[in-house]
């Protein structure tokens, strides 16, 4: 990991903050928390240079491409960024993915006839899984706090946004709201909790529904643990990384 100092430290910190919200689509975890991002630099003309790695040489090309493209889009949205380079290392398709990302090509344009899957469909499938995982976490906590099934299914989004909860609960609410739009409109008076098909949840059988969602979370947690293990076996993860620069409040 490269850490900037001096006048670029604040901007480098902004880039890390943006990257923190980019997730591995299969795991629904931040690429920075997973240890995938190894270097962030901002040069003198406000071009951003990002390097990242994956747990194996053969990680799925479509997931690798999505993460690279999402990183590029996330940092390019900052108004001062004049260009962004995202480079994947030590992967069987690194050259092809890096070339496609640098030229702003789609996955299909990058891989041509090798691209057998519609990346937008793959992305939606995993966004729905992330939505279900986050919904289960939030509903489980609200049930533990004493909310009844009738109260939960009649909540609107404004109610969820107004919940008074501790830090962990705030994180759950924030993460759920980030993915809520995948299943329906997000006006303040819209139902807070919908199914993956966009239907309002019934009170009857809500606990069974939530228990069913836990399977999605268990699968993701297993895959996450596997990826961390493979990453540790492949790269030196024991050497402490330098501290990241902090955002200058001024």
């Amino acid at each position: 990991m490269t850490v900037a100092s001096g006048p670029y430290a604040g901007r480098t910190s902004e880039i890390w903050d943006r990257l923190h919200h980019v997730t591995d689509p299969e795991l629904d975890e931040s690429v920075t928390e997973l240890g995938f991002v190894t270097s962030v630099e901002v040069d003198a003309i406000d071009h951003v240079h990002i390097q990242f790695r994956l747990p194996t040489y053969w990680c799925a090309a479509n997931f690798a491409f999505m993460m690279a493209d999402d990183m590029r889009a996330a940092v390019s949205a900052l108004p001062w960024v004049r260009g962004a380079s995202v480079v994947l290392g030590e992967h069987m398709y690194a050259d092809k993915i890096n070339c496609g990302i640098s030229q702003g090509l789609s996955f299909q344009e990058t891989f041509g006839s090798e691209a057998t899957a519609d990346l937008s469909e793959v992305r939606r499938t995993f966004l729905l899984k992330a939505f279900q995982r986050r919904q289960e976490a939030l509903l489980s906590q609200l049930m533990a706090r004493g909310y009844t099934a009738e109260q939960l299914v009649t909540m609107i989004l404004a109610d969820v946004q107004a919940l008074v909860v501790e830090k962990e609960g705030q994180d759950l609410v924030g993460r759920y709201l980030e993915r809520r739009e995948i299943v329906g409109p997000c006006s303040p008076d819209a139902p807070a909790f919908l199914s993956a098909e966009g239907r309002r949840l019934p009170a009857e059988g809500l606990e069974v529904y939530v228990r069913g969602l836990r399977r999605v979370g268990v699968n993701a947690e297993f895959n996450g643990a596997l990826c961390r293990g493979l990453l540790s076996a492949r790269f030196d993860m024991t050497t402490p990384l330098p501290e990241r620069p902090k955002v200058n409040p001024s």
Side-chain angles (χ1 to χ4, degrees):
M1 177 188 293
T2 302
V3 178
S5 59
Y8 296 107
R11 292 194 164 184
T12 304
S13 181
E14 284 187 67
I15 298 300
W16 279 108
D17 286 344
R18 288 289 176 135
L19 295 177
H20 178 72
H21 295 283
V22 176
T23 58
D24 178 308
E26 184 180 22
L27 307 179
D28 190 35
E29 292 188 53
S30 165
V31 293
T32 60
E33 294 298 324
L34 286 164
F36 290 175
V37 180
T38 57
S39 173
V40 170
E41 294 181 349
V42 180
D43 67 21
I45 56 173
D46 291 337
H47 281 241
V48 178
H49 305 272
I50 299 165
Q51 295 185 34
F52 77 110
R53 63 191 176 188
L54 294 173
T56 71
Y57 187 69
W58 55 87
C59 282
N62 52 2
F63 290 161
F65 189 93
M66 275 195 282
M67 284 185 268
D69 198 35
D70 289 350
M71 284 188 250
R72 182 192 56 77
V75 303
S76 296
L78 287 169
W80 54 265
V81 171
R82 298 290 177 261
S85 162
V86 181
V87 176
L88 170 63
E90 301 184 59
H91 186 276
M92 62 187 297
Y93 288 116
D95 289 346
K96 188 168 284 192
I97 290 172
N98 293 338
C99 181
I101 293 296
S102 68
Q103 296 180 37
L105 302 180
S106 68
F107 181 70
Q108 283 75 17
E109 290 169 333
T110 299
F111 281 88
S113 60
E114 293 181 78
T116 56
D118 182 340
L119 209 59
S120 62
E121 291 184 9
V122 174
R123 185 185 292 278
R124 178 170 173 77
T125 295
F126 283 93
L127 282 174
L128 281 172
K129 288 181 182 292
F131 162 78
Q132 290 176 312
R133 187 181 181 190
R134 296 180 185 199
Q135 185 184 69
E136 183 274 326
L138 180 56
L139 282 173
S140 292
Q141 188 181 86
L142 292 177
M143 287 175 171
R145 287 167 57 92
Y147 284 86
T148 66
E150 289 74 18
Q151 289 174 313
L152 291 170
V153 300
T154 54
M155 272 187 170
I156 59 176
L157 282 174
D159 296 330
V160 173
Q161 292 165 337
L163 285 171
V164 179
V165 290
E166 71 288 358
K167 177 65 170 61
E168 181 185 358
Q170 292 173 7
D171 292 342
L172 291 176
V173 169
R175 282 175 56 78
Y176 176 68
L177 294 177
E178 280 181 350
R179 291 288 180 267
R180 168 59 180 75
E181 65 179 6
I182 193 71
V183 296
C186 285
S187 59
D189 60 348
F193 298 108
L194 299 175
S195 69
E197 295 76 28
R199 292 193 289 270
R200 186 188 288 269
L201 299 180
E204 184 177 355
L206 185 65
E207 290 190 15
V208 174
Y209 167 81
V210 172
R211 284 201 298 271
L213 291 184
R214 285 182 189 141
R215 288 196 296 271
V216 179
V218 169
N219 288 338
E221 288 167 13
F222 173 80
N223 288 334
L226 179 62
C227 286
R228 285 188 172 85
L230 290 170
L231 194 72
S232 295
R234 190 179 184 205
F235 299 102
D236 174 17
M237 304 291 287
T238 59
T239 303
L241 296 173
E243 185 179 357
R244 297 175 195 170
K246 300 182 185 306
V247 175
N248 187 345
S250 62

